[in-house]
Each structure stands twice: as C-alpha cells, then as structure tokens.
Amino acid sequence: MLFMAVFTYDPQDRDRVIERRLENPEPPKGVKVKGEWFDISGHRVFRLFEAEDAAHVAATFYEWTDLGVAELIPVVDTDFAVKMFKRLSGR
C-alpha cells in the first residue's frame, strides 16, 4: 500500500535530522520510497512510500520517533479513488 508520511521536528533538531538522514540513506527492507521532499520553509519532511505490511510501516518511523512526530496518510491514485467511490456509492 502507498503512504504519505509527514514528519515534523523541532527547529533545534534540524541538524540532527539532517545528520541522521545522511547516515541512513536507504529505507528499511520491505519499504520502497517513491519520493521524499524537505520543506525548506519549515521543519517538515514529506515521504511517499510503499510498504508491504504494518511492520514495515512501523520500521520506517521507529528510528525517527526520538526527533519528531510522523503523520501517516494512506493514499491511492486519484483515478483509482474515483472509481472506488463510484462503485461504493452504487453509481
């Protein structure tokens, strides 16, 4: 399944976040990163990734929970979502 993660950290942890990201450039096994973006105006990182199961999702965040908070949003392609909601509504 595809997920958008929004990781928010405190300004004083900026350098630690950058350092840790440089030390761990590869995602955990079972996780495929589709894209990652650093918010240059704030203190957030956005990561779009695919994970095999809940354990792999947890592994993605575990090593970061001491530096901030991650919001996890399951996402699907818009065309897929429109077809799914149309089918669910009985149209």
Side-chain angles (χ1 to χ4, degrees), residues 5-72:
V6 182
F7 177 71
T8 306
Y9 58 91
D10 289 329
Q12 67 266 17
D13 290 328
R14 180 198 63 219
D15 293 343
R16 289 179 60 205
V17 168
I18 293 169
E19 181 179 314
R20 186 167 303 169
R21 178 62 178 84
L22 290 171
E23 290 172 356
N24 300 299
E26 298 299 319
K29 197 176 214 178
V31 174
K32 182 177 181 183
V33 175
K34 303 286 194 167
E36 186 175 52
W37 304 270
F38 205 93
D39 179 359
I40 60 173
S41 67
H43 304 286
R44 297 178 298 180
V45 177
F46 300 86
R47 177 184 272 188
L48 181 64
F49 69 95
E50 195 168 17
E52 295 177 6
D53 56 34
H56 291 99
V57 172
T60 301
F61 296 110
Y62 182 76
E63 64 186 36
W64 294 94
T65 57
D66 62 323
L67 291 176
V69 176
E71 178 183 4
L72 182 66

Side-chain angles (χ1 to χ4, degrees), residues 76-87:
V76 295
D77 178 83
T78 298
D79 289 338
F80 175 84
V82 169
K83 289 174 187 174
M84 177 183 65
F85 289 130
K86 184 176 179 181
R87 188 175 66 245

